[in-house]
Structure formats: C-alpha cells, structure tokens
Amino acid sequence: MSGAETEPGVLVLAATPIGRVADAPPRLAEELADADVVAAEDTRRLKRLTGELGVEVTGRVVSYFEGNEQRRTPALLGSLLAGERVLLVTDAGMPSVSDPGYRLVAAAVEAGVPVTAVPGPSAVLTALAVSGLPVDRFCFEGFLPRKAGERARRLAELASERRTMVFFEAPHRTEAALEAMAQAWGGERPAAVCRELTKTHEEVRRGPLAELVAWAADGVRGEVTLVVQGADDVPAVSTDDSSLRAAVAEREDRGMTRKEAIAEVAVLAGVPKREVYDLVHKSGPGEATP
C-alpha cells in the first residue's frame, strides 16, 4: 500500500516597505520567521530588513532576481510540491509587479499550488493616491523602453488612453521620459512626479508635462514614479478613405508602427482593421505602404 501523497505547500508573496520600515505589515515578520524557504531579490537587503524588524529567518534563503529567475523557478516549485512554505520578497513593494515573481506564480498556479499574499506597501497605489489626478480608472505601464525610438512608439500607442497612467522610471531617465510624454501627448497634459515616496525626502511635484520637464532638467534623485492623466477626449476618425489614410499617416509620424496605427484607427473609426489596411496598402505613389 503506497503512502499518502504529499500535500503541496504554499507560495506567499510578501510586500516589503517602499521607504520606511515602520510601514511593513505585522504579518511580514511572522511569515519571514515561519517560512521554510525565503526567496529574495537581494539577500543583502533581506538581511538588513530582517535586522530592522528584529526577525530571525530559520528557513533556507535563496536569491531570486531577474538574472536567475527562470533558472531558479523549477527548484522553488519543487520545494512547494514537497510541501514547503515558500516566501517571496523583492526589494520594495509587491513581488511580480515590475519585480521577479510572475514566473513562479504562474508555475505554482499551473501545478495546483496555493498562492497567497501579505498585502502592504505599493508605489503604484501610493503615487496614484497622492497625485491629485483621477483615480476611478487607471492602468500601470511599468518602465518605458530605454531607447528613444521604442519609447516614442510606446507613448504613441497610449495617446488615446483615457485612464490615468502610472509609470516607474529611473531618476537619470526621468527628464527624457517626461519630454517624450510632452511631445507625444502635449505639454499641457497634467501629471505628477512622485519621488522617494514615504521616505524622509519625499516629494510630489504636480503640473503640466512641459513644466515638469523644465523642473527635471536640474536632475532628479531617488526612486521615481510618474502619474499622468489620461486623454480627455479622443476624436473619432471619419470613415472616408482619405481621412482613414491621413489618420494612419499622422500616427506613424508620432512614432507608431504601421500595424499599431492601423489597429488604433480601425477602433476609432469603427471599421474592420482589414479595411484600413487595404486602404493604406493600395495608396498611390508617394503614400506610405505596409
């Protein structure tokens, strides 16, 4: 007679402070102490955090960051299937939100392993709440591409986005990101730069994009989250042939790829994407073709 199958363990995603250690949820200390395995984005930061919380980690500690995430996921899944409680922590905020974690969560879900979370600090929600911009509908866009051309194309894709948008950005790229946003969406678009949230030197700078570009020219330091108001009004596109072609060309001039421009114009005009594609494809000499 074979023995009973081992019940799977639990994957716990634990939010860590984005600034002040006092913001750590009480359950974080309990989970750190009880976990069989603690997977940390940076083991040195984990050691500093546990020291400040006065917690002793008795389980195994393994590094789990962008560079080894794919390689380490199978072993961590094996621990979960063996019945162990695995705690995942990143440097700040909630794991898997622009941080390592998604691969492990997806693997655990597929394997039938329970996944839970220790809710807590989030730079996305904190910045959104203090920005003064509409919060009824929003989207998180993570980090913009580093290369100027790719960044321009991404922003062009978001030109008709009506929801408030939240971005993460490196301090040394903040000015360039704001300038690109102003070029893509207009310098008058309301926005907020949230810097060093919850920390001693916290700063929230609000204003139109053009004004924020000028402010950022002097240099920006610390962790940065950008919040930008969505488009107030996205004009419909007329369905006559010349208007459809012109609308595609105008979006390409703003940095969109041909495919992206056709898709957006089709939605705004309320016509099949194939119809717009055919119009552009059959355009005469001197006009763009796919």
Side-chain angles (χ1 to χ4, degrees):
M1 181 176 178
S2 61
E5 291 186 5
T6 302
E7 287 292 321
V10 178
L11 174 61
V12 184
L13 309 177
T16 55
I18 60 176
R20 300 172 186 265
V21 175
D23 292 336
R27 237 186 85 204
L28 176 59
E30 298 173 12
E31 292 288 354
L32 284 166
D34 295 341
D36 297 302
V37 182
V38 177
E41 184 177 11
D42 187 326
T43 57
R44 293 167 299 180
R45 289 199 182 193
L46 172 66
K47 185 175 182 179
R48 185 160 61 246
L49 175 64
T50 55
E52 293 173 331
L53 293 175
V55 178
E56 181 180 356
V57 176
T58 58
R60 303 191 311 280
V61 175
V62 298
S63 64
Y64 190 72
F65 58 95
E66 184 179 0
N68 70 5
E69 185 178 2
Q70 187 169 359
R71 175 168 51 86
R72 283 278 166 86
T73 293
L76 289 172
L77 180 60
S79 296
L80 288 164
L81 292 174
E84 294 189 303
R85 192 174 187 86
V86 176
L87 181 71
L88 177 60
V89 294
T90 51
D91 293 347
M94 179 61 70
S96 80
V97 180
S98 278
D99 275 332
Y102 168 75
R103 285 188 176 90
L104 183 56
V105 172
V109 170
E110 185 176 358
V113 174
V115 179
T116 188
V118 178
S122 165
V124 176
L125 295 180
T126 301
L128 180 69
V130 303
S131 69
L133 298 173
V135 298
D136 54 333
R137 297 178 67 231
F138 72 93
C139 59
F140 174 57
E141 291 294 328
F143 285 92
L144 287 171
R146 297 184 181 186
K147 294 183 179 179
E150 294 177 6
R151 182 170 57 222
R153 285 192 290 273
R154 175 73 61 80
L155 294 176
E157 292 173 14
L158 295 169
S160 59
E161 176 58 66
R162 295 174 181 269
R163 295 171 294 180
T164 297
M165 297 169 282
V166 184
F167 301 84
F168 286 160
E169 193 50 272
H172 63 280
R173 291 197 298 269
T174 297
E175 180 188 3
L178 290 169
E179 185 171 6
M181 289 175 178
Q183 291 176 352
W185 305 332
E188 71 285 351
R189 181 81 71 93
V193 179
C194 305
R195 188 182 69 83
E196 295 290 86
L197 287 169
T198 80
K199 300 177 183 178
T200 302
H201 300 292
E202 175 180 289
E203 180 180 15
V204 180
R205 192 83 177 192
R206 305 174 182 88
L209 283 169
E211 180 181 302
L212 294 174
V213 171
W215 166 78
D218 292 332
V220 179
R221 295 183 179 182
E223 301 290 334
V224 174
T225 305
L226 306 176
V227 187
V228 186
Q229 185 167 305
D232 288 333
D233 185 29
V234 182
V237 176
S238 297
T239 57
D240 61 277
D241 293 0
S242 60
S243 294
L244 292 172
R245 289 195 190 100
V248 171
E250 186 269 334
R251 282 159 177 76
E252 287 187 283
D253 289 342
R254 294 207 314 255
M256 278 190 178
T257 64
R258 172 66 53 79
K259 182 178 180 180
E260 294 162 350
I262 288 173
E264 180 174 296
V265 168
V267 171
L268 294 176
V271 300
K273 185 165 60 175
R274 184 70 201 185
E275 180 179 330
V276 181
Y277 174 86
D278 287 343
L279 281 172
V280 175
H281 183 67
K282 296 173 183 176
S283 57
E287 298 182 59
T289 58

mmCIF file with all atom_site columns, all heavy atoms in Angstrom, residues 257-270:
data_model
loop_
_atom_site.group_PDB
_atom_site.id
_atom_site.type_symbol
_atom_site.label_atom_id
_atom_site.label_alt_id
_atom_site.label_comp_id
_atom_site.label_asym_id
_atom_site.label_entity_id
_atom_site.label_seq_id
_atom_site.pdbx_PDB_ins_code
_atom_site.Cartn_x
_atom_site.Cartn_y
_atom_site.Cartn_z
_atom_site.occupancy
_atom_site.B_iso_or_equiv
_atom_site.pdbx_formal_charge
_atom_site.auth_seq_id
_atom_site.auth_comp_id
_atom_site.auth_asym_id
_atom_site.auth_atom_id
_atom_site.pdbx_PDB_model_num
ATOM 1  N N   . THR A 1 257 ? 4.102   52.210 -35.115 1.00 0.00 ? 257 THR A N   1
ATOM 2  C CA  . THR A 1 257 ? 4.381   51.362 -36.259 1.00 0.00 ? 257 THR A CA  1
ATOM 3  C C   . THR A 1 257 ? 3.142   51.355 -37.156 1.00 0.00 ? 257 THR A C   1
ATOM 4  O O   . THR A 1 257 ? 2.039   51.727 -36.719 1.00 0.00 ? 257 THR A O   1
ATOM 5  C CB  . THR A 1 257 ? 4.690   49.923 -35.835 1.00 0.00 ? 257 THR A CB  1
ATOM 6  O OG1 . THR A 1 257 ? 3.525   49.359 -35.207 1.00 0.00 ? 257 THR A OG1 1
ATOM 7  C CG2 . THR A 1 257 ? 5.851   49.876 -34.835 1.00 0.00 ? 257 THR A CG2 1
ATOM 8  N N   . ARG A 1 258 ? 3.295   50.929 -38.403 1.00 0.00 ? 258 ARG A N   1
ATOM 9  C CA  . ARG A 1 258 ? 2.156   50.864 -39.320 1.00 0.00 ? 258 ARG A CA  1
ATOM 10 C C   . ARG A 1 258 ? 1.047   49.978 -38.736 1.00 0.00 ? 258 ARG A C   1
ATOM 11 O O   . ARG A 1 258 ? -0.142  50.331 -38.765 1.00 0.00 ? 258 ARG A O   1
ATOM 12 C CB  . ARG A 1 258 ? 2.639   50.308 -40.664 1.00 0.00 ? 258 ARG A CB  1
ATOM 13 C CG  . ARG A 1 258 ? 1.557   49.997 -41.690 1.00 0.00 ? 258 ARG A CG  1
ATOM 14 C CD  . ARG A 1 258 ? 0.837   51.249 -42.167 1.00 0.00 ? 258 ARG A CD  1
ATOM 15 N NE  . ARG A 1 258 ? 1.744   52.251 -42.650 1.00 0.00 ? 258 ARG A NE  1
ATOM 16 C CZ  . ARG A 1 258 ? 2.319   52.244 -43.862 1.00 0.00 ? 258 ARG A CZ  1
ATOM 17 N NH1 . ARG A 1 258 ? 2.083   51.259 -44.698 1.00 0.00 ? 258 ARG A NH1 1
ATOM 18 N NH2 . ARG A 1 258 ? 3.116   53.231 -44.220 1.00 0.00 ? 258 ARG A NH2 1
ATOM 19 N N   . LYS A 1 259 ? 1.427   48.835 -38.206 1.00 0.00 ? 259 LYS A N   1
ATOM 20 C CA  . LYS A 1 259 ? 0.442   47.899 -37.656 1.00 0.00 ? 259 LYS A CA  1
ATOM 21 C C   . LYS A 1 259 ? -0.339  48.523 -36.500 1.00 0.00 ? 259 LYS A C   1
ATOM 22 O O   . LYS A 1 259 ? -1.560  48.400 -36.402 1.00 0.00 ? 259 LYS A O   1
ATOM 23 C CB  . LYS A 1 259 ? 1.153   46.626 -37.183 1.00 0.00 ? 259 LYS A CB  1
ATOM 24 C CG  . LYS A 1 259 ? 0.221   45.554 -36.643 1.00 0.00 ? 259 LYS A CG  1
ATOM 25 C CD  . LYS A 1 259 ? 1.018   44.313 -36.246 1.00 0.00 ? 259 LYS A CD  1
ATOM 26 C CE  . LYS A 1 259 ? 0.100   43.235 -35.694 1.00 0.00 ? 259 LYS A CE  1
ATOM 27 N NZ  . LYS A 1 259 ? 0.867   42.013 -35.298 1.00 0.00 ? 259 LYS A NZ  1
ATOM 28 N N   . GLU A 1 260 ? 0.384   49.210 -35.593 1.00 0.00 ? 260 GLU A N   1
ATOM 29 C CA  . GLU A 1 260 ? -0.262  49.841 -34.441 1.00 0.00 ? 260 GLU A CA  1
ATOM 30 C C   . GLU A 1 260 ? -1.207  50.955 -34.887 1.00 0.00 ? 260 GLU A C   1
ATOM 31 O O   . GLU A 1 260 ? -2.317  51.103 -34.350 1.00 0.00 ? 260 GLU A O   1
ATOM 32 C CB  . GLU A 1 260 ? 0.803   50.403 -33.496 1.00 0.00 ? 260 GLU A CB  1
ATOM 33 C CG  . GLU A 1 260 ? 1.669   49.341 -32.827 1.00 0.00 ? 260 GLU A CG  1
ATOM 34 C CD  . GLU A 1 260 ? 2.956   49.900 -32.260 1.00 0.00 ? 260 GLU A CD  1
ATOM 35 O OE1 . GLU A 1 260 ? 3.285   51.085 -32.540 1.00 0.00 ? 260 GLU A OE1 1
ATOM 36 O OE2 . GLU A 1 260 ? 3.657   49.153 -31.561 1.00 0.00 ? 260 GLU A OE2 1
ATOM 37 N N   . ALA A 1 261 ? -0.754  51.759 -35.858 1.00 0.00 ? 261 ALA A N   1
ATOM 38 C CA  . ALA A 1 261 ? -1.572  52.874 -36.338 1.00 0.00 ? 261 ALA A CA  1
ATOM 39 C C   . ALA A 1 261 ? -2.857  52.376 -36.978 1.00 0.00 ? 261 ALA A C   1
ATOM 40 O O   . ALA A 1 261 ? -3.947  52.915 -36.734 1.00 0.00 ? 261 ALA A O   1
ATOM 41 C CB  . ALA A 1 261 ? -0.769  53.708 -37.331 1.00 0.00 ? 261 ALA A CB  1
ATOM 42 N N   . ILE A 1 262 ? -2.752  51.345 -37.789 1.00 0.00 ? 262 ILE A N   1
ATOM 43 C CA  . ILE A 1 262 ? -3.936  50.793 -38.444 1.00 0.00 ? 262 ILE A CA  1
ATOM 44 C C   . ILE A 1 262 ? -4.926  50.252 -37.411 1.00 0.00 ? 262 ILE A C   1
ATOM 45 O O   . ILE A 1 262 ? -6.133  50.472 -37.507 1.00 0.00 ? 262 ILE A O   1
ATOM 46 C CB  . ILE A 1 262 ? -3.530  49.687 -39.445 1.00 0.00 ? 262 ILE A CB  1
ATOM 47 C CG1 . ILE A 1 262 ? -2.843  50.308 -40.661 1.00 0.00 ? 262 ILE A CG1 1
ATOM 48 C CG2 . ILE A 1 262 ? -4.729  48.850 -39.859 1.00 0.00 ? 262 ILE A CG2 1
ATOM 49 C CD1 . ILE A 1 262 ? -2.252  49.294 -41.622 1.00 0.00 ? 262 ILE A CD1 1
ATOM 50 N N   . ALA A 1 263 ? -4.407  49.559 -36.415 1.00 0.00 ? 263 ALA A N   1
ATOM 51 C CA  . ALA A 1 263 ? -5.280  48.984 -35.390 1.00 0.00 ? 263 ALA A CA  1
ATOM 52 C C   . ALA A 1 263 ? -6.032  50.074 -34.632 1.00 0.00 ? 263 ALA A C   1
ATOM 53 O O   . ALA A 1 263 ? -7.246  49.961 -34.383 1.00 0.00 ? 263 ALA A O   1
ATOM 54 C CB  . ALA A 1 263 ? -4.459  48.142 -34.424 1.00 0.00 ? 263 ALA A CB  1
ATOM 55 N N   . GLU A 1 264 ? -5.335  51.158 -34.247 1.00 0.00 ? 264 GLU A N   1
ATOM 56 C CA  . GLU A 1 264 ? -5.992  52.219 -33.490 1.00 0.00 ? 264 GLU A CA  1
ATOM 57 C C   . GLU A 1 264 ? -7.018  52.959 -34.343 1.00 0.00 ? 264 GLU A C   1
ATOM 58 O O   . GLU A 1 264 ? -8.124  53.249 -33.893 1.00 0.00 ? 264 GLU A O   1
ATOM 59 C CB  . GLU A 1 264 ? -4.964  53.216 -32.942 1.00 0.00 ? 264 GLU A CB  1
ATOM 60 C CG  . GLU A 1 264 ? -5.610  54.349 -32.146 1.00 0.00 ? 264 GLU A CG  1
ATOM 61 C CD  . GLU A 1 264 ? -4.601  55.256 -31.479 1.00 0.00 ? 264 GLU A CD  1
ATOM 62 O OE1 . GLU A 1 264 ? -3.866  54.758 -30.598 1.00 0.00 ? 264 GLU A OE1 1
ATOM 63 O OE2 . GLU A 1 264 ? -4.539  56.441 -31.836 1.00 0.00 ? 264 GLU A OE2 1
ATOM 64 N N   . VAL A 1 265 ? -6.668  53.264 -35.582 1.00 0.00 ? 265 VAL A N   1
ATOM 65 C CA  . VAL A 1 265 ? -7.590  53.976 -36.467 1.00 0.00 ? 265 VAL A CA  1
ATOM 66 C C   . VAL A 1 265 ? -8.847  53.151 -36.708 1.00 0.00 ? 265 VAL A C   1
ATOM 67 O O   . VAL A 1 265 ? -9.967  53.673 -36.733 1.00 0.00 ? 265 VAL A O   1
ATOM 68 C CB  . VAL A 1 265 ? -6.896  54.328 -37.806 1.00 0.00 ? 265 VAL A CB  1
ATOM 69 C CG1 . VAL A 1 265 ? -7.919  54.811 -38.834 1.00 0.00 ? 265 VAL A CG1 1
ATOM 70 C CG2 . VAL A 1 265 ? -5.833  55.394 -37.562 1.00 0.00 ? 265 VAL A CG2 1
ATOM 71 N N   . ALA A 1 266 ? -8.680  51.848 -36.861 1.00 0.00 ? 266 ALA A N   1
ATOM 72 C CA  . ALA A 1 266 ? -9.840  50.973 -37.086 1.00 0.00 ? 266 ALA A CA  1
ATOM 73 C C   . ALA A 1 266 ? -10.803 51.030 -35.899 1.00 0.00 ? 266 ALA A C   1
ATOM 74 O O   . ALA A 1 266 ? -12.027 51.102 -36.075 1.00 0.00 ? 266 ALA A O   1
ATOM 75 C CB  . ALA A 1 266 ? -9.369  49.539 -37.324 1.00 0.00 ? 266 ALA A CB  1
ATOM 76 N N   . VAL A 1 267 ? -10.247 51.029 -34.685 1.00 0.00 ? 267 VAL A N   1
ATOM 77 C CA  . VAL A 1 267 ? -11.088 51.096 -33.487 1.00 0.00 ? 267 VAL A CA  1
ATOM 78 C C   . VAL A 1 267 ? -11.820 52.432 -33.415 1.00 0.00 ? 267 VAL A C   1
ATOM 79 O O   . VAL A 1 267 ? -13.034 52.495 -33.167 1.00 0.00 ? 267 VAL A O   1
ATOM 80 C CB  . VAL A 1 267 ? -10.239 50.881 -32.220 1.00 0.00 ? 267 VAL A CB  1
ATOM 81 C CG1 . VAL A 1 267 ? -11.067 51.175 -30.977 1.00 0.00 ? 267 VAL A CG1 1
ATOM 82 C CG2 . VAL A 1 267 ? -9.723  49.453 -32.171 1.00 0.00 ? 267 VAL A CG2 1
ATOM 83 N N   . LEU A 1 268 ? -11.096 53.533 -33.628 1.00 0.00 ? 268 LEU A N   1
ATOM 84 C CA  . LEU A 1 268 ? -11.696 54.863 -33.513 1.00 0.00 ? 268 LEU A CA  1
ATOM 85 C C   . LEU A 1 268 ? -12.722 55.130 -34.618 1.00 0.00 ? 268 LEU A C   1
ATOM 86 O O   . LEU A 1 268 ? -13.705 55.847 -34.406 1.00 0.00 ? 268 LEU A O   1
ATOM 87 C CB  . LEU A 1 268 ? -10.599 55.931 -33.557 1.00 0.00 ? 268 LEU A CB  1
ATOM 88 C CG  . LEU A 1 268 ? -9.623  55.937 -32.378 1.00 0.00 ? 268 LEU A CG  1
ATOM 89 C CD1 . LEU A 1 268 ? -8.533  56.968 -32.590 1.00 0.00 ? 268 LEU A CD1 1
ATOM 90 C CD2 . LEU A 1 268 ? -10.356 56.205 -31.073 1.00 0.00 ? 268 LEU A CD2 1
ATOM 91 N N   . ALA A 1 269 ? -12.506 54.548 -35.796 1.00 0.00 ? 269 ALA A N   1
ATOM 92 C CA  . ALA A 1 269 ? -13.433 54.758 -36.901 1.00 0.00 ? 269 ALA A CA  1
ATOM 93 C C   . ALA A 1 269 ? -14.591 53.773 -36.884 1.00 0.00 ? 269 ALA A C   1
ATOM 94 O O   . ALA A 1 269 ? -15.603 53.975 -37.561 1.00 0.00 ? 269 ALA A O   1
ATOM 95 C CB  . ALA A 1 269 ? -12.686 54.655 -38.228 1.00 0.00 ? 269 ALA A CB  1
ATOM 96 N N   . GLY A 1 270 ? -14.414 52.688 -36.108 1.00 0.00 ? 270 GLY A N   1
ATOM 97 C CA  . GLY A 1 270 ? -15.466 51.680 -36.055 1.00 0.00 ? 270 GLY A CA  1
ATOM 98 C C   . GLY A 1 270 ? -15.587 50.869 -37.324 1.00 0.00 ? 270 GLY A C   1
ATOM 99 O O   . GLY A 1 270 ? -16.687 50.477 -37.740 1.00 0.00 ? 270 GLY A O   1
#
